[in-house]
Amino acid sequence: MRVYNFAAGPSTLPLPVLEQAQRELLDFNGTGMSVIEMSHRGKPFMAVNDEANALLRELMNIPDNYSVLFVQGGATQQFAAVPLNLLKNGKADYILTGNFAQKAYEEGTKYGDMAVAASSKDSNYTFIPDMKNIKFRDGIDYVHTTYNNTIFGTRYTELPKTDATLVTDMSSCILSEQIDVSKFGLIYAGAQKNIAPAGLTIVIVRKDLLGNASPICPVMLNYAVQDKNDSLYNTPPCFPIYMSLLVFRWLKALGGVPAIQQINEEKAKLLYDFIDNSSFYKNKVNKKDRSIMNVPFITPNEELDAKFVAEALKQGLVSLKGHRLAGGMRASIYNAMPIEGVKALVEFMKKFEMENK
Ligand SMILES: *Cc1c(COP(=O)(O)O)cnc(C)c1O
Protein backbone atom coordinates (compact mmCIF):
# COMPACT_ATOMS: atom_id res chain seq x y z
CA MET A 1 0.00 0.00 0.00
CA ARG A 2 1.28 3.49 -0.89
CA VAL A 3 1.26 5.87 2.08
CA TYR A 4 1.09 9.66 2.16
CA ASN A 5 4.75 10.44 2.71
CA PHE A 6 5.49 13.86 4.23
CA ALA A 7 9.27 13.33 4.41
CA ALA A 8 11.46 16.40 3.95
CA GLY A 9 13.90 14.65 1.63
CA PRO A 10 14.38 12.24 0.03
CA SER A 11 10.69 12.60 -0.46
CA THR A 12 7.62 11.38 -2.28
CA LEU A 13 7.68 11.15 -6.08
CA PRO A 14 4.74 11.23 -8.48
CA LEU A 15 3.15 7.77 -8.76
CA PRO A 16 2.93 7.80 -12.60
CA VAL A 17 6.66 8.56 -12.70
CA LEU A 18 7.50 5.62 -10.44
CA GLU A 19 5.29 3.36 -12.51
CA GLN A 20 6.96 4.41 -15.74
CA ALA A 21 10.41 3.88 -14.24
CA GLN A 22 9.30 0.44 -13.11
CA ARG A 23 8.01 -0.43 -16.58
CA GLU A 24 11.20 0.76 -18.25
CA LEU A 25 13.62 -0.80 -15.81
CA LEU A 26 14.35 -3.94 -17.78
CA ASP A 27 14.19 -2.45 -21.24
CA PHE A 28 14.67 1.25 -21.80
CA ASN A 29 13.41 2.44 -25.19
CA GLY A 30 14.01 -0.88 -26.92
CA THR A 31 17.70 -1.05 -25.92
CA GLY A 32 17.19 -4.35 -24.07
CA MET A 33 18.73 -2.87 -20.93
CA SER A 34 17.88 -0.36 -18.24
CA VAL A 35 18.97 3.25 -18.30
CA ILE A 36 21.33 2.54 -15.37
CA GLU A 37 23.28 -0.16 -17.21
CA MET A 38 24.33 1.77 -20.30
CA SER A 39 27.16 4.11 -21.23
CA HIS A 40 26.56 7.71 -20.32
CA ARG A 41 28.18 8.60 -23.65
CA GLY A 42 25.88 6.48 -25.80
CA LYS A 43 23.01 8.00 -27.77
CA PRO A 44 20.15 6.71 -25.57
CA PHE A 45 21.52 8.28 -22.39
CA MET A 46 22.73 11.46 -24.10
CA ALA A 47 19.17 11.97 -25.32
CA VAL A 48 17.91 11.67 -21.72
CA ASN A 49 20.51 14.16 -20.51
CA ASP A 50 19.71 16.65 -23.27
CA GLU A 51 15.94 16.43 -22.89
CA ALA A 52 16.13 16.79 -19.09
CA ASN A 53 18.28 19.88 -19.49
CA ALA A 54 16.01 21.40 -22.15
CA LEU A 55 12.84 20.68 -20.17
CA LEU A 56 14.18 22.27 -16.99
CA ARG A 57 15.06 25.35 -19.06
CA GLU A 58 11.55 25.43 -20.45
CA LEU A 59 9.81 24.85 -17.12
CA MET A 60 11.77 27.56 -15.32
CA ASN A 61 12.02 29.96 -18.27
CA ILE A 62 15.79 29.97 -17.93
CA PRO A 63 17.32 32.64 -20.21
CA ASP A 64 19.91 31.65 -22.84
CA ASN A 65 22.73 33.38 -21.01
CA TYR A 66 22.50 30.80 -18.21
CA SER A 67 24.05 27.34 -18.04
CA VAL A 68 22.18 24.46 -16.46
CA LEU A 69 24.55 21.95 -14.87
CA PHE A 70 23.77 18.49 -13.47
CA VAL A 71 26.36 17.72 -10.79
CA GLN A 72 26.82 15.55 -7.70
CA GLY A 73 27.63 16.14 -4.05
CA GLY A 74 24.29 17.55 -2.94
CA ALA A 75 23.51 21.12 -2.00
CA THR A 76 26.16 20.81 0.71
CA GLN A 77 28.90 20.49 -1.91
CA GLN A 78 27.68 23.79 -3.38
CA PHE A 79 28.41 25.52 -0.06
CA ALA A 80 32.09 25.16 -1.14
CA ALA A 81 31.66 25.26 -4.91
CA VAL A 82 29.98 28.68 -4.82
CA PRO A 83 32.88 30.57 -3.18
CA LEU A 84 35.46 28.52 -5.12
CA ASN A 85 33.87 29.64 -8.39
CA LEU A 86 32.50 33.10 -7.68
CA LEU A 87 35.01 34.90 -5.46
CA LYS A 88 37.01 37.54 -7.33
CA ASN A 89 37.41 40.17 -4.61
CA GLY A 90 37.49 37.47 -1.95
CA LYS A 91 34.41 38.47 0.04
CA ALA A 92 30.71 37.72 0.24
CA ASP A 93 27.74 38.35 2.55
CA TYR A 94 25.34 35.71 3.85
CA ILE A 95 21.80 35.94 5.22
CA LEU A 96 21.23 33.31 7.89
CA THR A 97 17.67 32.01 7.84
CA GLY A 98 18.23 28.45 9.00
CA ASN A 99 20.59 25.59 9.59
CA PHE A 100 21.53 25.12 5.93
CA ALA A 101 22.21 28.84 5.52
CA GLN A 102 24.46 28.67 8.58
CA LYS A 103 26.31 25.69 7.11
CA ALA A 104 26.74 27.47 3.78
CA TYR A 105 28.23 30.44 5.62
CA GLU A 106 30.58 28.33 7.73
CA GLU A 107 31.84 26.45 4.68
CA GLY A 108 32.28 29.75 2.85
CA THR A 109 34.54 31.17 5.58
CA LYS A 110 37.20 28.62 4.57
CA TYR A 111 37.59 30.34 1.22
CA GLY A 112 37.07 34.04 1.76
CA ASP A 113 36.17 36.96 3.96
CA MET A 114 32.52 36.17 4.67
CA ALA A 115 30.12 38.21 6.79
CA VAL A 116 26.63 37.67 8.16
CA ALA A 117 24.52 40.52 6.80
CA ALA A 118 21.39 39.49 8.71
CA SER A 119 20.15 36.57 10.76
CA SER A 120 16.96 35.35 12.41
CA LYS A 121 18.81 32.85 14.57
CA ASP A 122 17.82 34.58 17.82
CA SER A 123 14.17 33.71 17.18
CA ASN A 124 15.04 30.13 16.14
CA TYR A 125 14.58 31.20 12.52
CA THR A 126 10.85 31.89 12.64
CA PHE A 127 11.07 34.75 10.15
CA ILE A 128 12.96 36.09 7.14
CA PRO A 129 14.83 39.31 8.02
CA ASP A 130 13.36 42.51 6.58
CA MET A 131 15.13 43.13 3.29
CA LYS A 132 14.81 46.91 3.62
CA ASN A 133 17.01 46.98 6.71
CA ILE A 134 19.92 44.91 5.44
CA LYS A 135 23.17 46.73 4.67
CA PHE A 136 25.68 44.83 2.58
CA ARG A 137 29.40 45.53 2.47
CA ASP A 138 30.98 47.27 -0.53
CA GLY A 139 32.89 45.18 -3.03
CA ILE A 140 31.30 41.82 -2.21
CA ASP A 141 31.23 39.15 -4.91
CA TYR A 142 27.80 37.83 -3.97
CA VAL A 143 24.98 37.69 -1.43
CA HIS A 144 24.01 34.17 -0.39
CA THR A 145 20.41 33.37 0.52
CA THR A 146 18.41 30.21 1.24
CA TYR A 147 15.14 30.71 -0.58
CA ASN A 148 13.10 28.15 1.29
CA ASN A 149 14.11 26.97 4.75
CA THR A 150 13.25 23.31 4.92
CA ILE A 151 13.64 22.78 8.66
CA PHE A 152 11.98 25.96 9.94
CA GLY A 153 9.32 26.42 7.27
CA THR A 154 10.08 29.93 6.01
CA ARG A 155 10.51 31.32 2.52
CA TYR A 156 11.59 34.55 0.88
CA THR A 157 8.85 36.63 -0.73
CA GLU A 158 11.19 39.51 -1.47
CA LEU A 159 14.81 39.61 -2.57
CA PRO A 160 17.76 41.46 -0.99
CA LYS A 161 18.23 45.00 -2.27
CA THR A 162 21.72 44.86 -3.72
CA ASP A 163 23.60 45.16 -7.00
CA ALA A 164 25.83 42.26 -5.99
CA THR A 165 25.29 38.85 -7.57
CA LEU A 166 22.46 36.98 -5.85
CA VAL A 167 23.08 33.33 -5.04
CA THR A 168 20.29 31.17 -3.68
CA ASP A 169 19.82 27.65 -2.39
CA MET A 170 16.45 26.40 -3.73
CA SER A 171 16.83 22.77 -2.67
CA SER A 172 13.40 22.53 -1.11
CA CYS A 173 11.40 24.80 -3.44
CA ILE A 174 12.78 24.55 -6.96
CA LEU A 175 9.88 24.29 -9.45
CA SER A 176 7.29 24.87 -6.72
CA GLU A 177 6.49 28.46 -7.71
CA GLN A 178 7.34 30.83 -10.53
CA ILE A 179 10.57 32.71 -10.03
CA ASP A 180 12.43 35.13 -12.25
CA VAL A 181 15.75 33.39 -12.87
CA SER A 182 17.26 36.57 -14.29
CA LYS A 183 17.24 38.12 -10.80
CA PHE A 184 19.86 35.58 -9.71
CA GLY A 185 23.46 34.96 -10.68
CA LEU A 186 23.32 31.42 -9.41
CA ILE A 187 20.66 29.00 -8.20
CA TYR A 188 21.45 25.57 -6.83
CA ALA A 189 19.30 22.74 -5.53
CA GLY A 190 19.69 19.17 -4.40
CA ALA A 191 17.20 17.14 -6.44
CA GLN A 192 15.96 14.85 -3.67
CA LYS A 193 13.22 17.14 -2.40
CA ASN A 194 11.19 18.42 -5.28
CA ILE A 195 12.58 16.59 -8.30
CA ALA A 196 14.17 13.17 -8.13
CA PRO A 197 16.02 10.59 -6.03
CA ALA A 198 19.15 11.73 -4.16
CA GLY A 199 22.40 11.98 -6.09
CA LEU A 200 21.75 14.88 -8.46
CA THR A 201 22.31 18.56 -7.83
CA ILE A 202 21.06 21.26 -10.18
CA VAL A 203 23.17 24.38 -10.75
CA ILE A 204 21.80 27.27 -12.83
CA VAL A 205 24.52 29.85 -13.37
CA ARG A 206 24.78 33.01 -15.45
CA LYS A 207 27.47 32.46 -18.03
CA ASP A 208 29.44 35.64 -17.34
CA LEU A 209 30.18 34.24 -13.87
CA LEU A 210 32.00 31.23 -15.34
CA GLY A 211 35.77 31.08 -15.72
CA ASN A 212 36.86 32.76 -12.50
CA ALA A 213 37.34 29.64 -10.39
CA SER A 214 40.09 29.64 -7.79
CA PRO A 215 43.24 27.71 -8.83
CA ILE A 216 42.58 25.31 -5.96
CA CYS A 217 38.99 24.60 -7.08
CA PRO A 218 38.66 20.83 -7.61
CA VAL A 219 37.94 20.05 -11.25
CA MET A 220 34.65 18.39 -10.30
CA LEU A 221 33.44 21.60 -8.66
CA ASN A 222 34.48 23.87 -11.51
CA TYR A 223 31.33 25.17 -13.19
CA ALA A 224 33.19 26.15 -16.38
CA VAL A 225 34.47 22.58 -16.79
CA GLN A 226 31.00 21.13 -16.25
CA ASP A 227 29.53 23.66 -18.65
CA LYS A 228 32.05 22.89 -21.39
CA ASN A 229 31.34 19.17 -21.05
CA ASP A 230 27.52 19.36 -20.91
CA SER A 231 27.78 18.01 -17.34
CA LEU A 232 29.46 14.85 -18.68
CA TYR A 233 33.04 15.54 -17.59
CA ASN A 234 32.91 12.24 -15.73
CA THR A 235 30.17 9.68 -15.14
CA PRO A 236 27.03 11.60 -14.17
CA PRO A 237 24.32 10.38 -11.76
CA CYS A 238 22.47 8.63 -14.59
CA PHE A 239 19.47 7.32 -12.67
CA PRO A 240 18.49 10.58 -10.93
CA ILE A 241 18.92 12.42 -14.25
CA TYR A 242 16.57 9.95 -15.92
CA MET A 243 14.08 10.27 -13.04
CA SER A 244 14.29 14.06 -13.33
CA LEU A 245 13.36 13.81 -16.97
CA LEU A 246 10.26 11.80 -16.09
CA VAL A 247 9.32 14.31 -13.37
CA PHE A 248 9.86 17.25 -15.73
CA ARG A 249 7.60 15.62 -18.33
CA TRP A 250 4.99 14.95 -15.63
CA LEU A 251 5.13 18.57 -14.51
CA LYS A 252 4.91 19.90 -18.06
CA ALA A 253 1.85 17.75 -18.80
CA LEU A 254 0.22 19.11 -15.64
CA GLY A 255 0.57 22.67 -16.90
CA GLY A 256 4.08 23.50 -15.74
CA VAL A 257 5.14 25.68 -12.83
CA PRO A 258 2.15 28.09 -12.90
CA ALA A 259 -0.23 25.13 -12.54
CA ILE A 260 1.73 23.42 -9.76
CA GLN A 261 2.14 26.73 -7.94
CA GLN A 262 -1.63 27.09 -7.80
CA ILE A 263 -1.99 23.57 -6.43
CA ASN A 264 0.82 24.14 -3.94
CA GLU A 265 -0.75 27.34 -2.68
CA GLU A 266 -4.08 25.58 -2.29
CA LYS A 267 -2.47 22.73 -0.33
CA ALA A 268 -0.57 25.13 1.94
CA LYS A 269 -3.68 27.25 2.52
CA LEU A 270 -5.71 24.21 3.55
CA LEU A 271 -3.15 23.30 6.17
CA TYR A 272 -2.33 26.78 7.47
CA ASP A 273 -5.99 27.82 7.63
CA PHE A 274 -6.80 24.75 9.65
CA ILE A 275 -3.87 25.35 12.03
CA ASP A 276 -4.70 29.06 12.42
CA ASN A 277 -8.35 28.31 13.23
CA SER A 278 -7.39 25.76 15.84
CA SER A 279 -6.45 26.51 19.44
CA PHE A 280 -4.77 23.11 19.68
CA TYR A 281 -2.20 23.33 16.86
CA LYS A 282 0.23 26.16 16.30
CA ASN A 283 2.68 27.29 13.62
CA LYS A 284 5.22 29.76 15.00
CA VAL A 285 6.39 31.25 11.70
CA ASN A 286 5.76 34.90 10.81
CA LYS A 287 2.73 34.63 8.49
CA LYS A 288 4.19 36.56 5.57
CA ASP A 289 7.28 34.32 5.55
CA ARG A 290 5.55 30.95 5.63
CA SER A 291 6.85 28.24 3.32
CA ILE A 292 4.40 26.58 0.97
CA MET A 293 6.59 23.45 0.91
CA ASN A 294 7.44 22.70 4.55
CA VAL A 295 4.84 23.31 7.25
CA PRO A 296 6.04 22.91 10.85
CA PHE A 297 3.46 22.78 13.64
CA ILE A 298 3.11 21.77 17.27
CA THR A 299 0.43 20.50 19.64
CA PRO A 300 0.14 21.83 23.24
CA ASN A 301 3.03 19.67 24.49
CA GLU A 302 5.83 17.33 23.48
CA GLU A 303 4.09 14.15 24.67
CA LEU A 304 1.16 14.92 22.39
CA ASP A 305 3.57 15.67 19.55
CA ALA A 306 5.07 12.19 19.89
CA LYS A 307 1.63 10.61 20.14
CA PHE A 308 0.51 12.52 17.05
CA VAL A 309 3.42 11.24 14.98
CA ALA A 310 2.90 7.65 16.14
CA GLU A 311 -0.86 7.63 15.50
CA ALA A 312 -0.56 9.38 12.15
CA LEU A 313 1.86 6.67 11.06
CA LYS A 314 -0.78 4.03 11.75
CA GLN A 315 -3.14 5.92 9.43
CA GLY A 316 -0.63 5.89 6.57
CA LEU A 317 0.47 9.49 7.13
CA VAL A 318 4.21 9.04 7.50
CA SER A 319 7.38 11.02 8.30
CA LEU A 320 5.64 13.84 10.12
CA LYS A 321 8.19 14.20 12.91
CA GLY A 322 9.81 17.64 12.88
CA HIS A 323 13.55 18.12 12.53
CA ARG A 324 15.38 17.79 15.84
CA LEU A 325 16.35 21.50 15.67
CA ALA A 326 12.74 22.63 15.36
CA GLY A 327 10.84 19.94 17.31
CA GLY A 328 7.14 19.21 16.89
CA MET A 329 5.86 18.08 13.52
CA ARG A 330 6.61 19.05 9.95
CA ALA A 331 4.56 18.24 6.88
CA SER A 332 6.60 18.55 3.71
CA ILE A 333 4.10 19.03 0.92
CA TYR A 334 6.26 19.11 -2.17
CA ASN A 335 5.01 19.07 -5.78
CA ALA A 336 4.43 15.32 -5.75
CA MET A 337 2.20 15.38 -2.66
CA PRO A 338 -1.37 15.29 -3.97
CA ILE A 339 -3.99 17.54 -2.39
CA GLU A 340 -5.76 14.37 -1.20
CA GLY A 341 -2.75 13.73 1.07
CA VAL A 342 -3.12 17.17 2.68
CA LYS A 343 -6.87 16.66 3.08
CA ALA A 344 -6.22 13.31 4.77
CA LEU A 345 -3.73 14.98 7.10
CA VAL A 346 -6.21 17.73 8.05
CA GLU A 347 -8.93 15.13 8.72
CA PHE A 348 -6.52 13.23 10.96
CA MET A 349 -5.56 16.44 12.77
CA LYS A 350 -9.22 17.19 13.47
CA LYS A 351 -9.81 13.73 14.90
CA PHE A 352 -6.62 13.81 16.97
CA GLU A 353 -7.58 17.19 18.42
CA MET A 354 -11.03 15.96 19.45
CA GLU A 355 -9.59 12.89 21.13
CA ASN A 356 -6.80 14.70 22.96
CA LYS A 357 -8.07 18.16 23.85
C1 LIG B 1 18.24 19.42 2.18
C2 LIG B 1 18.85 20.76 2.03
C3 LIG B 1 20.24 20.93 1.93
C4 LIG B 1 21.20 19.77 2.02
O1 LIG B 1 21.13 19.05 0.84
P1 LIG B 1 22.12 17.85 0.50
O2 LIG B 1 21.77 17.59 -0.92
O3 LIG B 1 21.79 16.75 1.44
O4 LIG B 1 23.51 18.33 0.66
C5 LIG B 1 20.71 22.20 1.75
N1 LIG B 1 19.90 23.26 1.68
C6 LIG B 1 18.56 23.14 1.79
C7 LIG B 1 17.70 24.36 1.71
C8 LIG B 1 18.00 21.89 1.96
O5 LIG B 1 16.67 21.76 2.06
Side-chain angles (χ1 to χ4, degrees), residues 8-9 73-79 100-101 146-151 169-173 188-193 198-201 294 334:
T76 306
Q77 183 80 286
Q78 294 307 311
F79 300 166
F100 291 118
T146 310
Y147 204 83
N148 184 79
N149 295 275
T150 324
I151 297 175
D169 175 355
M170 290 202 175
S171 292
S172 48
C173 61
Y188 64 89
Q192 72 274 21
K193 281 148 190 166
L200 170 66
T201 310
N294 309 97
Y334 297 123

Side-chain angles (χ1 to χ4, degrees), residues 224-236:
V225 171
Q226 295 292 358
D227 175 55
K228 214 172 106 205
N229 290 279
D230 293 328
S231 304
L232 297 173
Y233 179 73
N234 74 335
T235 318

Side-chain angles (χ1 to χ4, degrees), residues 296-345:
F297 60 94
I298 50 171
T299 67
N301 63 60
E302 284 177 19
E303 290 74 53
L304 282 174
D305 289 348
K307 190 175 175 197
F308 181 98
V309 172
E311 288 189 9
L313 176 65
K314 287 187 209 147
Q315 302 303 313
L317 305 167
V318 316
S319 299
L320 282 162
K321 191 174 182 328
H323 191 277
R324 72 195 142 76
L325 295 173
M329 279 70 68
R330 169 180 50 178
S332 294
I333 49 175
Y334 297 123
N335 287 357
M337 171 59 66
I339 195 157
E340 290 75 23
V342 178
K343 286 181 179 161
L345 174 61

Side-chain angles (χ1 to χ4, degrees), residues 267-286:
K267 289 184 314 196
K269 188 174 183 324
L270 253 175
L271 197 45
Y272 284 122
D273 281 354
F274 174 73
I275 292 169
D276 289 343
N277 289 323
S278 147
S279 54
F280 185 80
Y281 299 102
K282 199 172 148 104
N283 165 279
K284 288 188 261 183
V285 172
N286 187 23

Side-chain angles (χ1 to χ4, degrees), residues 239-273:
F239 188 66
I241 291 173
Y242 158 76
M243 291 295 286
S244 301
L245 170 60
L246 300 188
V247 169
F248 296 156
R249 284 183 186 155
W250 168 81
L251 188 52
K252 185 178 171 178
L254 214 105
V257 176
I260 202 79
Q261 174 171 356
Q262 208 179 341
I263 298 169
N264 286 334
E265 283 169 352
E266 203 182 324
K267 289 184 314 196
K269 188 174 183 324
L270 253 175
L271 197 45
Y272 284 122
D273 281 354

